[in-house]
Amino acid sequence: MTSASRLHVTFIDKEGDEHKFEVASGDNLLDIAQSEELEMEGACGGSCACSTCHIIVESQDHYDLMPEPDDDENDMLDLAFGLTETSRLGCQVKMAKELDGLRVRLPSMTRNLQKSDFESGKKGG
């Protein structure tokens, strides 16, 4: 990876400690966090079917540069603990040149609610 293609992201963990990493364009925040052994569960494996990779973008400017969350992501964010105006799912945020220097905070708690928790109740056996 050339220095020109390196991007930087900082995760702020539940204790307030900062973890800064050099990453590649196209890497998503869930994969980065898990490869660096940060405490981000990603219970659904990054398929946008839970809210355990909930992150809070520190900068409104960076948040505004991201593609809008789609309906599936918004549905899962509705289940997230500590939802904010700049909340996203880490599995849906891909690093790009315009996000270089991104800072995200991990919420103090996550809820492991998945789509399947609700779908099983709809079947009515």
Side-chain angles (χ1 to χ4, degrees):
M1 189 163 32
T2 66
S3 60
S5 64
R6 290 186 182 157
L7 303 174
H8 299 89
V9 61
T10 301
F11 290 85
I12 303 164
D13 67 22
K14 295 169 187 176
E15 287 76 39
D17 296 327
E18 295 191 9
H19 307 270
K20 187 173 183 177
F21 305 109
E22 283 191 351
V23 299
S25 181
D27 289 351
N28 76 54
L29 297 183
L30 172 62
D31 289 343
I32 295 165
Q34 289 185 335
S35 71
E36 298 294 343
E37 299 184 0
L38 293 179
E39 195 175 334
M40 187 184 293
E41 184 176 356
C44 72
S47 62
C48 198
C50 75
S51 63
T52 60
C53 67
H54 172 215
I55 51 111
I56 299 161
V57 179
E58 289 279 287
S59 160
Q60 184 69 49
D61 291 339
H62 272 133
Y63 182 86
D64 291 341
L65 292 171
M66 296 174 179
E68 289 282 316
D70 64 18
D71 289 344
D72 286 341
E73 183 178 359
N74 279 323
D75 288 348
M76 292 298 101
L77 282 170
D78 286 343
L79 306 175
F81 178 85
L83 189 66
T84 73
E85 289 294 315
T86 60
S87 287
R88 292 297 302 263
L89 295 182
C91 68
Q92 299 301 299
V93 177
K94 289 185 168 59
M95 287 301 294
K97 183 175 61 177
E98 60 271 15
L99 297 180
D100 188 29
L102 177 66
R103 293 171 53 85
V104 298
R105 191 162 29 92
L106 304 181
S108 59
M109 290 177 52
T110 60
R111 288 191 184 122
N112 188 2
L113 296 174
Q114 300 183 34
K115 281 184 185 174
S116 58
D117 294 336
F118 301 99
E119 290 168 355
S120 61
K122 293 178 187 172
K123 292 177 184 158

